[in-house]
Amino acid sequence: MRTKRFLICAFLGTWLFMASTWAADFVRFRFCVLSNQLLSDVQYRSWPKGPEHPPEIIELVKAGTTISMEYEYVGPPTLVFQHPESEGESAFFSFDVSKLNPGCVFVFWRGAPAAPGEKGKWNCAPLNNFEKRFAKNRVAFFNFSGLPLAAKLGKKVYTPLPPFVEGIALSKNFEVAAMAYWPQRDVAVNVWRTTMNFRDGYRYIGMFFPSPRYQKEGRPAVDFKLVTQLADAKEAEKYEPTGPDVEL
């Protein structure tokens, strides 16, 4: 009997010690999500009631090409996203959120398919310091395509286009054009061209992603997504909705 009590007390003592240590390492982290195509069946575990209670399973919903609702994570510093495509209980993606700022945006995107009927591999990157990094009345650009693009952004030309371009001042009829090298034909081809009209009081982020469509003979292709977010409500009150803010 004494042995049984001793074992129970020892187990409870160890569990309480681990729980208190774990709780001391807990972080509370807010984030949003966006994706170059519909992202479904992705979830994460959160412990809003503390380590002494079972975790809650949080599903990412409405994750697409606009910034999602805000999610909150409470738990160990490593936030783990899981997905049916990941094997068993292994992580789809994981991030040490203690090194990120609350309010960051996780960007998910699929790579280009290697063959007809296949789907590209998922990728993910956090955009940190979102509110400070992307200024009102400017447009910033990311190149997630994996291709060495040459691009004209407004009046500026980039050869090659870097992974990130700091915010560029808005202008009327802002042109975005991009080219890529096609090795099989030894030529440069146009992969994107559009003209956009912007409005004051917003921040804009243009993102080049790999095309989800298989391209014959290895022809390069990209998709372009423009993320729009209200940055100044008072400024936006001056406008009446008259049509799309962006002309594609």
Side-chain angles (χ1 to χ4, degrees):
M1 190 68 177
R2 290 182 178 178
T3 302
K4 186 176 180 179
R5 287 181 179 177
F6 173 79
L7 291 175
I8 292 174
C9 290
F11 172 78
L12 289 175
T14 302
W15 183 84
L16 289 172
F17 173 77
M18 292 179 63
S20 62
T21 302
W22 196 20
D25 292 336
F26 261 27
V27 297
R28 186 177 296 271
F29 183 75
R30 295 175 291 99
F31 66 93
C32 297
V33 175
L34 67 85
S35 172
N36 73 328
Q37 55 185 284
L38 182 63
L39 182 69
S40 60
D41 300 325
V42 174
Q43 61 188 28
Y44 66 93
R45 289 182 173 87
S46 183
W47 288 260
K49 298 179 181 179
E52 67 275 11
H53 295 277
E56 296 181 4
I57 305 300
I58 311 297
E59 298 279 349
L60 298 184
V61 296
K62 297 181 180 179
T65 55
T66 58
I67 297 176
S68 73
M69 60 180 281
E70 187 176 73
Y71 293 92
E72 184 176 65
Y73 167 74
V74 180
T78 301
L79 166 60
V80 178
F81 293 110
Q82 292 183 306
H83 191 275
E85 291 185 6
S86 59
E87 298 179 2
E89 293 296 316
S90 62
F92 182 41
F93 289 102
S94 62
F95 297 92
D96 182 353
V97 296
S98 65
K99 298 180 180 179
L100 300 174
N101 291 94
C104 91
V105 177
F106 289 101
V107 181
F108 290 83
W109 74 94
R110 277 192 184 274
E118 292 186 1
K119 293 182 178 180
K121 183 179 179 181
W122 280 104
N123 300 271
C124 184
L127 303 188
N128 210 17
N129 295 314
F130 188 84
E131 294 292 334
K132 296 179 181 179
R133 192 176 187 185
F134 307 107
K136 179 182 71 174
N137 296 336
R138 288 186 170 269
V139 54
F141 292 88
F142 285 91
N143 181 14
F144 294 121
S145 71
L147 297 174
L149 301 177
K152 181 176 184 292
L153 308 176
K155 298 179 180 180
K156 298 184 178 182
V157 176
Y158 299 86
T159 53
L161 179 67
F164 174 63
V165 176
E166 294 282 354
I168 300 173
L170 306 183
S171 63
K172 187 177 180 181
N173 298 324
F174 191 101
E175 183 182 8
V176 175
M179 301 183 71
Y181 178 63
W182 188 0
Q184 287 81 349
R185 298 289 183 88
D186 193 26
V187 294
V189 293
N190 293 315
V191 292
W192 194 265
R193 182 181 293 275
T194 189
T195 300
M196 300 181 291
N197 291 323
F198 300 105
R199 288 170 53 177
D200 289 341
Y202 290 79
R203 58 169 64 91
Y204 296 90
I205 305 172
M207 298 182 177
F208 292 96
F209 292 108
S211 171
R213 300 172 298 279
Y214 176 73
Q215 305 296 321
K216 294 182 179 179
E217 300 182 54
R219 181 186 176 95
V222 302
D223 276 1
F224 178 79
K225 306 293 182 182
L226 184 71
V227 178
T228 304
Q229 189 181 53
L230 180 64
D232 190 335
K234 292 183 179 180
E235 186 74 21
E237 287 174 358
K238 299 177 183 179
Y239 296 91
E240 293 293 334
T242 57
D245 293 335
V246 180
E247 297 179 1
L248 299 179

